[in-house]
Amino acid sequence: MPQLHQSPFCSRQLRWTRNVTAAILILFLILYHIPDRTWRGANLLVFGAHWERFPRLNGYYAGLSNLVPISQHVEEGVQDLWSKTANTDLLSEDDIRTRIIAYNPYPHNNTRRCFLDDKGTVDIPALYSYQGIPQYHPEPLHGSYDALGLRDDICFDRYGRLGAYGLDENATIQEHHSPDGSITSTPRSKSINWQSIDWSAAQHRCHDTNKHRFVQSLSSGDHRSTPRQALVLRTWTGYHYTPHVMMNIRALISELSLGSGAEYDVHLLVHVKNNSAQFWESQDLYREILHANVPKEFRGLATFWSESQMEMVYPGPFLNNTLNKSGKSIHGVYRSSHMPLQYFAQNNAQYEHFWNWEMDMRYTGHYYELLDRLGHWANAQPRHGLWERSAKYYLEKMHGTWKQFSDLVHQENPNTIFGPVKFPSSQALKFQRASWLSSSVEDDKDADLITLSPLFDPNESGWYFDTDITGYPSDSPLPPRRVAIIAASRMSRGLLHLMHEETLQYRRSMWTEMWAPSIALHYGLKAVYAPHPVYYDRKWPVSTADKIFNAGKHGSSGGNAFSVFGAFEHNHLGSTWYHNARFAGELWRSWLGRGSRHGMFSQQGVDRMCLRSMLLHTVKYE
Ligand SMILES: *[C@@H]1O[C@H](CO)[C@@H](O)[C@H](O)[C@H]1NC(C)=O
Ligand SMILES: *[C@@H]1O[C@H](CO)[C@@H](O)[C@H](O)[C@H]1NC(C)=O
Ligand SMILES: *[C@@H]1O[C@H](CO)[C@@H](O)[C@H](O)[C@H]1NC(C)=O
Ligand SMILES: *[C@@H]1O[C@H](CO)[C@@H](O)[C@H](O)[C@H]1NC(C)=O
Ligand SMILES: *[C@@H]1O[C@H](CO)[C@@H](O)[C@H](O)[C@H]1NC(C)=O
């Protein structure tokens, strides 16, 4: 191209164009070689996530003065409804007071009353809720009150929910005396001297008083005794028990154990991080660690474990580890938090079911209502198509009633999983004769596993720990697997026993959130995802939510590259329930009156928030 050289202008322009083209080409080549994950991460950072463009929901922050009966309730619309209706029809303090109801979710009438103290003078703290919910309170994006039998026509403010357990005792009194009378005080029991309460002793007394409920009555034929359940709170040495954490533990014990007449016991399973501390050999050492790490009120609830103890309980060797992405030991709490629970269940066979519970979870409603309704609902679920239903998010607005949803899933999945799943090196047959298995195909059998997130197939889903599998033959395909994010779940004694045997005899394990669901799959146990209501900070179009959250294979929420448990995990950030959900903590703190102000709502006095029952994770601080 000699003629170009004749014009300096042309040549300069050409060089510039050429350089830019080359730069774009090089950039393209670089980007092309960056792993998908990084590329998507950078993309999110620069352009933001698609859901960040949905309008924010402000209806959560409305106060008690906006209460309406459920029949008049309208969820928040896309437009700013607040500007139109602001300051109309607000309830007065007296109106609000008439809507307070003492909250009692217990269905039984054969329980004997339990007390916090041994003289029988300190009553169980009472909870108060409000009839109705604030106008424009949003609806959950997935999950359902109706399907699970949870109440959706009441709400809880912070004093009604937590006042009984010690929330802002002094602050309430001050507010009560404020001259403009801007606080609606809930009726409350006289304050309790918490220092004097021994919760473990209270649980034992309550069980003794109610023993009649837990013995099999031989006279009345097939009458089953009430099964007892343990709620096992996972804590560790060095854990800081803030006043809010203390209130949450008191709530768990009062509502689940004492209020129900001992249907549940609450335990603290304490991870002793010092691996040299042989607490099982020395009572003095045990006591020393206990006193230094567990508040007096709860000491009797504690059971210790440590990673070095687990090395003795499950000695290994653990071979054929497919992948060790976390670089942690197989006995470590990150990869195998199920090990100490398995061992705990071996030593506490008086319980039929064990709820694995985490310290950074909160519930705005009543714990008994939640766990009891979830349990009954899960036990009543027909087994046919259960794995498939449990893999999919239930969007009530899109899918209709639970029955319609079930029919839809059935159409989408003509081939359902039923009974033990066959694969090379399966050990299921060896256990077939166990008595608790023989009845497991009946529909009304108690659920062996209840999870609080979908049970998805991680194979090829991009979920980070998919192949953290140990002890299966390395020359065969990987065993089939299931995962539910967040290890909070209910496990039956039978399931935990199988997990224990697989670990002890066959030296097998998997990443903690995958282990219990996969063992349930391998042995044909009854596993259910209970679709509890989950809220989002923004207004998602429901069809978009369905496309994204149910993007997996066969209509399920996992098993392919578009899974919301792999590269598209960020979609959960604005939710009230996920391992890293940001909104959960924000919403909880606002409800406590500790968040930042939201528009016209001060979150104080009659403006304080009233939320429907919702389960929150994670709440890292208060
Ligand atoms: C107690 O429950 C039983 C069985 O549900 C019922 O028949 C009975 O009427 C109840 N008694 C009271 C006092 O509510
Ligand atoms: C760990 O436990 C050992 C044995 O009890 C003790 O000597 C040591 O001081 C402990 N370490 C820490 C950091 O507490
Ligand atoms: C996983 O990695 C850690 C750190 O490298 C190592 O100590 C551990 O033994 C590994 N575990 C297995 C089962 O490979
Ligand atoms: C490891 O894999 C090999 C080859 O498949 C198999 O023979 C062996 O039994 C496996 N070991 C364990 C502990 O699973
Ligand atoms: C995982 O997916 C691959 C590719 O689709 C398939 O070959 C393999 O059988 C699957 N494994 C399991 C356990 O589902």
Side-chain angles (χ1 to χ4, degrees), residues 48 95 114 116 160 178 193 222 281 292 304 330 343 356 358 367 421 424 433 471 479 484 488 491 559 561 594 596:
D95 292 337
C114 297
L116 268 58
S178 69
N193 175 16
D222 65 349
E281 285 189 342
F304 286 177
I330 192 86
Y343 186 59
N356 193 45
E358 297 175 6
Y367 278 119
V421 171
R433 262 170 292 145
M491 284 162 263
R594 289 168 170 242
S596 50

PDB file of all heavy atoms in Angstrom, residues 48 95 114 116 160 178 193 222 281 292 304 330 343 356 358 367 421 424 433 471 479 484 488 491 559 561 594 596:
ATOM      1  N   GLY A  48     -23.397  -4.393  37.462  1.00  0.00           N
ATOM      2  CA  GLY A  48     -24.410  -4.710  38.473  1.00  0.00           C
ATOM      3  C   GLY A  48     -25.217  -5.913  38.033  1.00  0.00           C
ATOM      4  O   GLY A  48     -25.144  -6.342  36.886  1.00  0.00           O
ATOM      5  N   ASP A  95     -56.170   2.129  68.970  1.00  0.00           N
ATOM      6  CA  ASP A  95     -56.596   1.151  67.951  1.00  0.00           C
ATOM      7  C   ASP A  95     -55.610  -0.003  67.890  1.00  0.00           C
ATOM      8  O   ASP A  95     -55.985  -1.167  67.796  1.00  0.00           O
ATOM      9  CB  ASP A  95     -56.612   1.775  66.550  1.00  0.00           C
ATOM     10  CG  ASP A  95     -57.687   2.830  66.400  1.00  0.00           C
ATOM     11  OD1 ASP A  95     -58.663   2.767  67.169  1.00  0.00           O
ATOM     12  OD2 ASP A  95     -57.527   3.713  65.531  1.00  0.00           O
ATOM     13  N   CYS A 114     -45.431 -25.891  82.456  1.00  0.00           N
ATOM     14  CA  CYS A 114     -44.025 -25.889  82.871  1.00  0.00           C
ATOM     15  C   CYS A 114     -43.614 -24.491  83.309  1.00  0.00           C
ATOM     16  O   CYS A 114     -44.215 -23.495  82.902  1.00  0.00           O
ATOM     17  CB  CYS A 114     -43.134 -26.347  81.721  1.00  0.00           C
ATOM     18  SG  CYS A 114     -43.465 -28.041  81.213  1.00  0.00           S
ATOM     19  N   LEU A 116     -40.126 -21.827  84.634  1.00  0.00           N
ATOM     20  CA  LEU A 116     -38.691 -21.602  84.477  1.00  0.00           C
ATOM     21  C   LEU A 116     -37.915 -21.959  85.740  1.00  0.00           C
ATOM     22  O   LEU A 116     -36.736 -22.287  85.674  1.00  0.00           O
ATOM     23  CB  LEU A 116     -38.424 -20.132  84.105  1.00  0.00           C
ATOM     24  CG  LEU A 116     -38.361 -19.818  82.611  1.00  0.00           C
ATOM     25  CD1 LEU A 116     -39.647 -20.209  81.912  1.00  0.00           C
ATOM     26  CD2 LEU A 116     -38.076 -18.350  82.378  1.00  0.00           C
ATOM     27  N   GLY A 160     -43.360  -7.418  71.038  1.00  0.00           N
ATOM     28  CA  GLY A 160     -44.238  -8.569  71.194  1.00  0.00           C
ATOM     29  C   GLY A 160     -43.483  -9.882  71.042  1.00  0.00           C
ATOM     30  O   GLY A 160     -43.757 -10.859  71.723  1.00  0.00           O
ATOM     31  N   SER A 178     -42.724   8.396  78.105  1.00  0.00           N
ATOM     32  CA  SER A 178     -42.491   9.603  77.312  1.00  0.00           C
ATOM     33  C   SER A 178     -43.773  10.423  77.236  1.00  0.00           C
ATOM     34  O   SER A 178     -44.867   9.875  77.121  1.00  0.00           O
ATOM     35  CB  SER A 178     -42.014   9.222  75.908  1.00  0.00           C
ATOM     36  OG  SER A 178     -43.075   8.611  75.209  1.00  0.00           O
ATOM     37  N   ASN A 193     -35.367 -12.443  86.359  1.00  0.00           N
ATOM     38  CA  ASN A 193     -33.950 -12.400  86.697  1.00  0.00           C
ATOM     39  C   ASN A 193     -33.255 -13.567  85.986  1.00  0.00           C
ATOM     40  O   ASN A 193     -33.186 -14.683  86.503  1.00  0.00           O
ATOM     41  CB  ASN A 193     -33.787 -12.489  88.216  1.00  0.00           C
ATOM     42  CG  ASN A 193     -32.327 -12.565  88.617  1.00  0.00           C
ATOM     43  OD1 ASN A 193     -31.436 -12.257  87.821  1.00  0.00           O
ATOM     44  ND2 ASN A 193     -32.077 -12.992  89.847  1.00  0.00           N
ATOM     45  N   ASP A 222     -53.175 -48.854  68.244  1.00  0.00           N
ATOM     46  CA  ASP A 222     -52.108 -48.294  67.416  1.00  0.00           C
ATOM     47  C   ASP A 222     -51.687 -46.885  67.860  1.00  0.00           C
ATOM     48  O   ASP A 222     -50.995 -46.186  67.143  1.00  0.00           O
ATOM     49  CB  ASP A 222     -52.554 -48.268  65.955  1.00  0.00           C
ATOM     50  CG  ASP A 222     -53.722 -47.331  65.714  1.00  0.00           C
ATOM     51  OD1 ASP A 222     -54.322 -46.851  66.707  1.00  0.00           O
ATOM     52  OD2 ASP A 222     -54.032 -47.068  64.546  1.00  0.00           O
ATOM     53  N   GLU A 281     -11.374 -36.525  79.143  1.00  0.00           N
ATOM     54  CA  GLU A 281     -10.581 -37.239  80.144  1.00  0.00           C
ATOM     55  C   GLU A 281     -10.542 -36.554  81.499  1.00  0.00           C
ATOM     56  O   GLU A 281     -10.160 -37.161  82.485  1.00  0.00           O
ATOM     57  CB  GLU A 281      -9.147 -37.417  79.632  1.00  0.00           C
ATOM     58  CG  GLU A 281      -9.069 -38.489  78.571  1.00  0.00           C
ATOM     59  CD  GLU A 281      -7.650 -38.847  78.183  1.00  0.00           C
ATOM     60  OE1 GLU A 281      -6.740 -38.042  78.470  1.00  0.00           O
ATOM     61  OE2 GLU A 281      -7.480 -39.923  77.586  1.00  0.00           O
ATOM     62  N   ALA A 292     -15.659 -20.905  80.854  1.00  0.00           N
ATOM     63  CA  ALA A 292     -15.056 -19.821  80.083  1.00  0.00           C
ATOM     64  C   ALA A 292     -15.822 -19.532  78.794  1.00  0.00           C
ATOM     65  O   ALA A 292     -15.681 -18.452  78.222  1.00  0.00           O
ATOM     66  CB  ALA A 292     -13.610 -20.173  79.757  1.00  0.00           C
ATOM     67  N   PHE A 304     -19.794 -31.081  74.319  1.00  0.00           N
ATOM     68  CA  PHE A 304     -18.585 -30.658  73.603  1.00  0.00           C
ATOM     69  C   PHE A 304     -18.229 -31.644  72.494  1.00  0.00           C
ATOM     70  O   PHE A 304     -18.520 -32.829  72.599  1.00  0.00           O
ATOM     71  CB  PHE A 304     -17.384 -30.628  74.554  1.00  0.00           C
ATOM     72  CG  PHE A 304     -17.373 -29.483  75.525  1.00  0.00           C
ATOM     73  CD1 PHE A 304     -16.361 -29.403  76.470  1.00  0.00           C
ATOM     74  CD2 PHE A 304     -18.331 -28.490  75.493  1.00  0.00           C
ATOM     75  CE1 PHE A 304     -16.324 -28.357  77.373  1.00  0.00           C
ATOM     76  CE2 PHE A 304     -18.306 -27.444  76.397  1.00  0.00           C
ATOM     77  CZ  PHE A 304     -17.290 -27.384  77.344  1.00  0.00           C
ATOM     78  N   ILE A 330     -10.665 -33.709  56.623  1.00  0.00           N
ATOM     79  CA  ILE A 330     -11.954 -34.396  56.526  1.00  0.00           C
ATOM     80  C   ILE A 330     -12.690 -34.381  57.871  1.00  0.00           C
ATOM     81  O   ILE A 330     -13.913 -34.446  57.914  1.00  0.00           O
ATOM     82  CB  ILE A 330     -11.769 -35.846  55.996  1.00  0.00           C
ATOM     83  CG1 ILE A 330     -13.100 -36.484  55.596  1.00  0.00           C
ATOM     84  CG2 ILE A 330     -11.090 -36.739  57.020  1.00  0.00           C
ATOM     85  CD1 ILE A 330     -13.535 -36.198  54.219  1.00  0.00           C
ATOM     86  N   TYR A 343     -22.540 -38.412  65.812  1.00  0.00           N
ATOM     87  CA  TYR A 343     -22.081 -38.960  67.081  1.00  0.00           C
ATOM     88  C   TYR A 343     -23.036 -38.567  68.212  1.00  0.00           C
ATOM     89  O   TYR A 343     -23.372 -39.380  69.074  1.00  0.00           O
ATOM     90  CB  TYR A 343     -20.652 -38.452  67.340  1.00  0.00           C
ATOM     91  CG  TYR A 343     -19.990 -39.056  68.550  1.00  0.00           C
ATOM     92  CD1 TYR A 343     -19.811 -40.432  68.655  1.00  0.00           C
ATOM     93  CD2 TYR A 343     -19.516 -38.241  69.574  1.00  0.00           C
ATOM     94  CE1 TYR A 343     -19.192 -40.985  69.775  1.00  0.00           C
ATOM     95  CE2 TYR A 343     -18.893 -38.785  70.693  1.00  0.00           C
ATOM     96  CZ  TYR A 343     -18.740 -40.158  70.790  1.00  0.00           C
ATOM     97  OH  TYR A 343     -18.139 -40.697  71.890  1.00  0.00           O
ATOM     98  N   ASN A 356     -30.746 -29.631  63.088  1.00  0.00           N
ATOM     99  CA  ASN A 356     -29.442 -28.989  63.101  1.00  0.00           C
ATOM    100  C   ASN A 356     -29.694 -27.493  62.915  1.00  0.00           C
ATOM    101  O   ASN A 356     -30.327 -27.088  61.938  1.00  0.00           O
ATOM    102  CB  ASN A 356     -28.615 -29.540  61.930  1.00  0.00           C
ATOM    103  CG  ASN A 356     -27.153 -29.200  62.024  1.00  0.00           C
ATOM    104  OD1 ASN A 356     -26.536 -29.321  63.069  1.00  0.00           O
ATOM    105  ND2 ASN A 356     -26.580 -28.754  60.911  1.00  0.00           N
ATOM    106  N   GLU A 358     -28.435 -23.207  63.404  1.00  0.00           N
ATOM    107  CA  GLU A 358     -27.242 -22.356  63.413  1.00  0.00           C
ATOM    108  C   GLU A 358     -27.464 -21.087  64.222  1.00  0.00           C
ATOM    109  O   GLU A 358     -28.590 -20.615  64.346  1.00  0.00           O
ATOM    110  CB  GLU A 358     -26.848 -22.025  61.963  1.00  0.00           C
ATOM    111  CG  GLU A 358     -26.468 -23.287  61.202  1.00  0.00           C
ATOM    112  CD  GLU A 358     -26.190 -23.061  59.714  1.00  0.00           C
ATOM    113  OE1 GLU A 358     -26.178 -21.888  59.276  1.00  0.00           O
ATOM    114  OE2 GLU A 358     -25.994 -24.059  59.015  1.00  0.00           O
ATOM    115  N   TYR A 367     -41.273 -20.052  67.233  1.00  0.00           N
ATOM    116  CA  TYR A 367     -40.500 -21.222  66.799  1.00  0.00           C
ATOM    117  C   TYR A 367     -41.328 -22.507  66.778  1.00  0.00           C
ATOM    118  O   TYR A 367     -41.150 -23.357  65.921  1.00  0.00           O
ATOM    119  CB  TYR A 367     -39.285 -21.434  67.706  1.00  0.00           C
ATOM    120  CG  TYR A 367     -38.108 -20.558  67.354  1.00  0.00           C
ATOM    121  CD1 TYR A 367     -37.594 -19.634  68.261  1.00  0.00           C
ATOM    122  CD2 TYR A 367     -37.495 -20.656  66.109  1.00  0.00           C
ATOM    123  CE1 TYR A 367     -36.493 -18.842  67.937  1.00  0.00           C
ATOM    124  CE2 TYR A 367     -36.404 -19.859  65.774  1.00  0.00           C
ATOM    125  CZ  TYR A 367     -35.917 -18.960  66.690  1.00  0.00           C
ATOM    126  OH  TYR A 367     -34.843 -18.181  66.358  1.00  0.00           O
ATOM    127  N   VAL A 421     -31.532 -45.718  45.332  1.00  0.00           N
ATOM    128  CA  VAL A 421     -30.993 -45.481  43.994  1.00  0.00           C
ATOM    129  C   VAL A 421     -29.784 -46.382  43.801  1.00  0.00           C
ATOM    130  O   VAL A 421     -28.884 -46.406  44.631  1.00  0.00           O
ATOM    131  CB  VAL A 421     -30.596 -43.998  43.851  1.00  0.00           C
ATOM    132  CG1 VAL A 421     -29.832 -43.765  42.558  1.00  0.00           C
ATOM    133  CG2 VAL A 421     -31.836 -43.119  43.897  1.00  0.00           C
ATOM    134  N   PRO A 424     -22.838 -48.339  41.476  1.00  0.00           N
ATOM    135  CA  PRO A 424     -21.790 -49.267  41.905  1.00  0.00           C
ATOM    136  C   PRO A 424     -21.334 -48.891  43.312  1.00  0.00           C
ATOM    137  O   PRO A 424     -21.253 -47.708  43.622  1.00  0.00           O
ATOM    138  CB  PRO A 424     -20.657 -49.040  40.893  1.00  0.00           C
ATOM    139  CG  PRO A 424     -21.255 -48.292  39.764  1.00  0.00           C
ATOM    140  CD  PRO A 424     -22.445 -47.566  40.280  1.00  0.00           C
ATOM    141  N   ARG A 433     -32.761 -54.892  55.762  1.00  0.00           N
ATOM    142  CA  ARG A 433     -33.597 -55.583  56.732  1.00  0.00           C
ATOM    143  C   ARG A 433     -33.846 -54.775  58.005  1.00  0.00           C
ATOM    144  O   ARG A 433     -34.622 -55.172  58.839  1.00  0.00           O
ATOM    145  CB  ARG A 433     -33.017 -56.966  57.057  1.00  0.00           C
ATOM    146  CG  ARG A 433     -33.720 -58.054  56.242  1.00  0.00           C
ATOM    147  CD  ARG A 433     -33.012 -59.380  56.373  1.00  0.00           C
ATOM    148  NE  ARG A 433     -31.712 -59.341  55.721  1.00  0.00           N
ATOM    149  CZ  ARG A 433     -30.633 -59.976  56.166  1.00  0.00           C
ATOM    150  NH1 ARG A 433     -30.696 -60.674  57.280  1.00  0.00           N
ATOM    151  NH2 ARG A 433     -29.503 -59.913  55.518  1.00  0.00           N
ATOM    152  N   GLY A 471     -14.145 -41.761  49.607  1.00  0.00           N
ATOM    153  CA  GLY A 471     -14.361 -43.153  49.983  1.00  0.00           C
ATOM    154  C   GLY A 471     -15.145 -43.988  48.989  1.00  0.00           C
ATOM    155  O   GLY A 471     -15.538 -45.101  49.307  1.00  0.00           O
ATOM    156  N   PRO A 479     -20.941 -41.289  42.614  1.00  0.00           N
ATOM    157  CA  PRO A 479     -22.292 -41.685  43.039  1.00  0.00           C
ATOM    158  C   PRO A 479     -23.278 -40.527  42.827  1.00  0.00           C
ATOM    159  O   PRO A 479     -22.880 -39.367  42.807  1.00  0.00           O
ATOM    160  CB  PRO A 479     -22.106 -41.960  44.529  1.00  0.00           C
ATOM    161  CG  PRO A 479     -20.914 -41.175  44.928  1.00  0.00           C
ATOM    162  CD  PRO A 479     -20.013 -41.139  43.732  1.00  0.00           C
ATOM    163  N   ALA A 484     -28.643 -29.537  49.736  1.00  0.00           N
ATOM    164  CA  ALA A 484     -29.492 -28.415  50.117  1.00  0.00           C
ATOM    165  C   ALA A 484     -28.602 -27.386  50.800  1.00  0.00           C
ATOM    166  O   ALA A 484     -27.907 -27.702  51.763  1.00  0.00           O
ATOM    167  CB  ALA A 484     -30.607 -28.862  51.059  1.00  0.00           C
ATOM    168  N   ALA A 488     -28.937 -26.229  58.010  1.00  0.00           N
ATOM    169  CA  ALA A 488     -30.075 -26.295  58.936  1.00  0.00           C
ATOM    170  C   ALA A 488     -31.131 -27.218  58.348  1.00  0.00           C
ATOM    171  O   ALA A 488     -31.637 -26.983  57.257  1.00  0.00           O
ATOM    172  CB  ALA A 488     -30.660 -24.912  59.153  1.00  0.00           C
ATOM    173  N   MET A 491     -33.133 -34.136  60.751  1.00  0.00           N
ATOM    174  CA  MET A 491     -32.722 -35.480  60.362  1.00  0.00           C
ATOM    175  C   MET A 491     -33.284 -36.494  61.342  1.00  0.00           C
ATOM    176  O   MET A 491     -33.277 -36.255  62.546  1.00  0.00           O
ATOM    177  CB  MET A 491     -31.202 -35.564  60.348  1.00  0.00           C
ATOM    178  CG  MET A 491     -30.585 -34.890  59.137  1.00  0.00           C
ATOM    179  SD  MET A 491     -28.832 -34.531  59.374  1.00  0.00           S
ATOM    180  CE  MET A 491     -28.935 -32.829  59.886  1.00  0.00           C
ATOM    181  N   GLY A 559     -28.399 -29.010  38.413  1.00  0.00           N
ATOM    182  CA  GLY A 559     -28.081 -29.945  37.350  1.00  0.00           C
ATOM    183  C   GLY A 559     -27.743 -29.341  36.007  1.00  0.00           C
ATOM    184  O   GLY A 559     -27.638 -30.066  35.036  1.00  0.00           O
ATOM    185  N   ALA A 561     -25.731 -25.700  33.800  1.00  0.00           N
ATOM    186  CA  ALA A 561     -24.826 -24.567  33.915  1.00  0.00           C
ATOM    187  C   ALA A 561     -25.514 -23.273  34.341  1.00  0.00           C
ATOM    188  O   ALA A 561     -24.862 -22.311  34.706  1.00  0.00           O
ATOM    189  CB  ALA A 561     -24.111 -24.372  32.591  1.00  0.00           C
ATOM    190  N   ARG A 594     -32.790  -0.891  64.657  1.00  0.00           N
ATOM    191  CA  ARG A 594     -31.368  -0.605  64.648  1.00  0.00           C
ATOM    192  C   ARG A 594     -30.828  -0.352  63.244  1.00  0.00           C
ATOM    193  O   ARG A 594     -29.644  -0.142  63.061  1.00  0.00           O
ATOM    194  CB  ARG A 594     -30.599  -1.781  65.254  1.00  0.00           C
ATOM    195  CG  ARG A 594     -30.827  -1.868  66.731  1.00  0.00           C
ATOM    196  CD  ARG A 594     -30.341  -3.142  67.343  1.00  0.00           C
ATOM    197  NE  ARG A 594     -30.396  -2.982  68.782  1.00  0.00           N
ATOM    198  CZ  ARG A 594     -29.331  -3.036  69.578  1.00  0.00           C
ATOM    199  NH1 ARG A 594     -28.160  -3.280  69.085  1.00  0.00           N
ATOM    200  NH2 ARG A 594     -29.458  -2.848  70.871  1.00  0.00           N
ATOM    201  N   SER A 596     -30.964   1.622  59.370  1.00  0.00           N
ATOM    202  CA  SER A 596     -31.077   3.031  59.015  1.00  0.00           C
ATOM    203  C   SER A 596     -32.551   3.327  58.763  1.00  0.00           C
ATOM    204  O   SER A 596     -33.351   2.440  58.479  1.00  0.00           O
ATOM    205  CB  SER A 596     -30.238   3.312  57.777  1.00  0.00           C
ATOM    206  OG  SER A 596     -30.566   2.356  56.786  1.00  0.00           O
TER     207      SER A 596
END
